[in-house]
Amino acid sequence: MIDEAHCFSSRGQDFRVDYQYIGDFIKSLQEKKNLKDIIPVSCFTTTAKRNVIEDICAYFKDKLSIDLEVICSNTSRNNIRAKDIPALPVQKKNGIIRIVKHTGPNLITPLVDAICSEELAGTTGVLANTNDDAFQIKCLLKEKGLKAKLIQSNDEFNLYDLLEIRYLTEQLNLSEEISVISDEVWQEAKREVLNRYVDSPNFEILIRLIKEFEEAHPKRKYKSDYEAFIRESKLEHFYRYSYDTIYVSTISKAKGREFDNVFMMLNQDHNKGLVDDRQLYEAMTRAKEKLIIHYNGDYLDAIRTEGLEVIDDSNYYSSPERLAVQLTHEDVWLDYFYNTQGTIESLTYSSVLKVDDNSCLNINNHDVLKFSKKFKEKVEARKRQGYFPKSAKVNYIINWKKKEQDEEIRIVLPEVYFEKYKGGL
């Protein structure tokens, strides 16, 4: 029995990509149990139009050779009667809700200090509204000695173009004549890619991606299934939570995730229209046991609930000594990478990068990349705040090509670190 079956359609895959593997799961379960009869399937949706219903039927016809019977009804449910049944909570004790209201503009320092001093049990997530804020929080937590990870997305590039995934695909040697990946080839390719990229910041995601594909296809690994799996997957699908790691995310990426403890940072974002009431609700409901909100403004003043603790913090907190920025495609001069392919070929994820106002260089002072005009303006803005570029490290190496061109090159998207000048502001 499958609810929200519209997610089988290509129009719903971005919302719940896991639906694309239900057919493979049913097929493997049937084989594992040695079932002679086909496992019955019932799909339900209240939002599907005709073309989406056709997609759902085509999916099960292709995957399981099942012809679904379509039954449509209106919203009237004469066969259903409502009864008054009290809703009883599973947990007997209330969780903790704390709102810390600040008067100063810098919330990252007190937020991170609060996380460090809080007694935490279970999984912990930190939610901020902007990518820059989330990135700063992650970096400051790591500077404090805590294990922290940023839940990142690959909205600007296909997962297939990530260096590690491209290498895995190349090792599989997926020529046109091949339809099934043999176990020997798969195991050798897996061994090669894991040994080669053990120092990659994306290593755990790589392990999870490989494991999930193996679980979805335990017996036969078809080339078409592998290609579809890579094409439809995103980085954020492969994060798995452990108690010893703090996971930092934007509010927009928090949907569908849950943590025992949730810290939120809202720096006047609600007043700027960057966070609406729906997003606030979704973010707050990610917490199972403990919700702690640090914000400035007055838009949460009206909240009243049992056990709510409100703290007014009038202290002024200085900005962090170190800032970090994750560069995107728009932050680098893409065409300049045609001149640095030799240097990039020799890079690894552990390579040390130097940085100045215009570029990143390797240890031999050879250019790796040039900043875009837009990012150089950001550098100047940081310098006016007293922050100067100090160092960088490789975060992504991606295969890229210009539109309407066949030549593909590698580009580097690093993390760039700024340090506060002692004589600055």
Side-chain angles (χ1 to χ4, degrees):
M1 184 178 293
I2 303 164
D3 197 11
E4 297 191 33
H6 49 272
C7 293
F8 286 111
S9 168
S10 60
R11 299 156 186 83
Q13 288 173 10
D14 288 343
F15 177 52
R16 287 184 174 167
V17 70
D18 290 346
Y19 274 56
Q20 296 307 300
Y21 309 115
I22 289 179
D24 296 320
F25 170 77
I26 293 174
K27 185 186 297 183
S28 63
L29 180 63
Q30 187 150 337
E31 292 174 352
K32 184 177 181 180
K33 298 288 186 180
N34 291 319
L35 300 177
K36 295 181 179 179
D37 296 327
I38 297 174
I39 295 175
V41 174
S42 298
C43 298
F44 299 87
T45 175
T46 61
T47 60
K49 298 185 183 297
R50 179 185 54 79
N51 55 348
V52 174
I53 293 174
E54 291 173 354
D55 286 346
I56 297 169
C57 293
Y59 174 87
F60 283 97
K61 180 68 173 178
D62 177 59
K63 288 287 186 179
L64 300 172
S65 299
I66 292 176
D67 292 310
L68 293 182
E69 180 182 0
V70 179
I71 302 174
C72 299
S73 66
N74 58 31
T75 56
S76 175
R77 303 294 181 87
N78 296 326
N79 61 323
I80 297 177
R81 297 290 184 269
K83 292 173 62 178
D84 290 329
I85 301 175
L88 301 176
V90 175
Q91 293 178 310
K92 300 301 182 183
K93 65 177 183 177
N94 293 332
I96 294 173
I97 304 176
R98 184 182 308 141
I99 296 178
V100 184
K101 183 177 179 179
H102 297 269
T103 55
N106 177 37
L107 304 187
I108 292 179
T109 300
L111 171 75
V112 171
D113 288 344
I115 295 171
C116 293
S117 61
E118 190 73 24
E119 187 174 327
L120 301 174
T123 56
T124 300
V126 184
L127 308 181
N129 191 52
T130 68
N131 288 317
D132 279 349
D133 283 344
F135 199 72
Q136 306 307 330
I137 292 168
K138 185 266 292 188
C139 292
L140 191 53
L141 285 169
K142 294 185 78 170
E143 285 185 16
K144 296 283 187 177
L146 298 178
K147 190 175 179 181
K149 287 185 179 179
L150 182 69
I151 298 176
Q152 301 188 76
S153 179
N154 57 302
D155 294 335
E156 288 193 325
F157 60 89
N158 295 321
L159 201 58
Y160 170 72
D161 294 325
L162 189 64
L163 181 63
E164 298 91 319
I165 305 303
R166 183 64 66 88
Y167 184 79
L168 172 62
T169 305
E170 290 171 352
Q171 298 307 301
L172 293 173
N173 192 25
L174 301 177
S175 62
E176 291 184 3
E177 297 78 20
I178 293 176
S179 61
V180 179
I181 305 170
S182 70
D183 289 340
E184 293 79 12
V185 169
W186 176 259
Q187 293 299 328
E188 180 62 24
K190 181 172 72 170
R191 184 161 46 249
E192 287 289 332
V193 72
L194 293 180
N195 287 337
R196 186 180 183 92
Y197 294 109
V198 68
D199 64 339
S200 166
N202 310 305
F203 185 70
E204 290 185 22
I205 291 175
L206 180 63
I207 291 176
R208 175 56 59 178
L209 180 147
I210 291 171
K211 183 177 180 182
E212 290 200 7
F213 181 73
E214 290 176 335
E215 290 174 348
H217 306 278
K219 291 192 174 181
R220 280 201 160 194
K221 297 173 178 61
Y222 289 96
K223 178 178 75 171
S224 58
D225 288 335
Y226 172 80
E227 291 171 341
F229 180 80
I230 297 299
R231 183 174 62 250
E232 295 163 0
S233 296
K234 290 183 175 292
L235 284 175
E236 59 262 39
H237 297 157
F238 301 106
Y239 287 93
R240 294 298 179 268
Y241 307 119
S242 60
Y243 292 167
D244 66 338
T245 303
I246 296 172
Y247 296 88
V248 187
S249 168
T250 58
I251 289 174
S252 61
K253 293 189 183 78
K255 189 173 183 178
R257 308 180 190 277
E258 281 190 336
F259 301 93
D260 296 300
N261 316 290
V262 168
F263 291 81
M264 290 175 59
M265 191 186 83
L266 302 169
N267 195 349
Q268 291 286 357
D269 293 330
H270 191 277
N271 288 349
K272 295 176 183 176
L274 297 177
V275 179
D276 58 29
D277 291 339
R278 177 186 59 82
Q279 290 173 309
L280 278 177
Y281 171 79
E282 286 181 353
M284 291 176 181
T285 53
R286 300 309 93 202
K288 295 193 288 185
E289 299 286 347
K290 187 179 293 187
L291 172 65
I292 300 175
I293 302 173
H294 286 252
Y295 88 114
N296 48 20
D298 55 9
Y299 46 91
L300 300 183
D301 288 355
I303 291 181
R304 298 288 185 273
T305 187
E306 182 182 354
L308 172 64
E309 179 185 3
V310 179
I311 299 173
D312 289 312
D313 189 341
S314 59
N315 293 317
Y316 179 85
Y317 295 92
S318 60
S319 56
E321 294 294 316
R322 199 169 186 238
L323 296 179
V325 179
Q326 169 59 57
L327 270 60
T328 65
H329 284 69
E330 66 178 15
D331 296 319
V332 294
W333 180 4
L334 290 168
D335 282 350
Y336 191 78
F337 282 111
Y338 285 99
N339 304 315
T340 63
Q341 291 302 289
T343 305
I344 293 174
E345 284 288 339
S346 63
L347 282 182
T348 68
Y349 282 107
S350 59
S351 298
V352 176
L353 296 183
K354 301 178 181 180
V355 63
D356 57 29
D357 292 353
N358 301 301
S359 58
C360 288
L361 309 94
N362 68 5
I363 196 170
N364 297 317
N365 292 320
H366 297 150
D367 281 343
V368 173
L369 62 90
K370 292 284 190 184
F371 299 143
S372 67
K373 180 180 177 181
K374 183 175 181 179
F375 188 73
K376 285 192 281 189
E377 292 172 353
K378 292 180 182 178
V379 171
E380 291 303 314
R382 291 293 188 192
K383 288 168 68 174
R384 289 193 294 271
Q385 296 170 344
Y387 290 96
F388 290 79
K390 187 69 175 179
S391 62
K393 72 174 184 178
V394 179
N395 196 33
Y396 295 127
I397 301 177
I398 299 165
N399 292 277
W400 173 84
K401 64 180 178 180
K402 295 180 71 172
K403 289 183 179 179
E404 302 177 355
Q405 288 195 11
D406 294 330
E407 182 183 2
E408 192 174 62
I409 61 173
R410 289 181 180 178
I411 68 171
V412 177
L413 299 179
E415 296 177 7
V416 176
Y417 297 92
F418 294 76
E419 290 189 6
K420 186 183 288 186
Y421 178 55
K422 300 304 181 181
L425 299 177

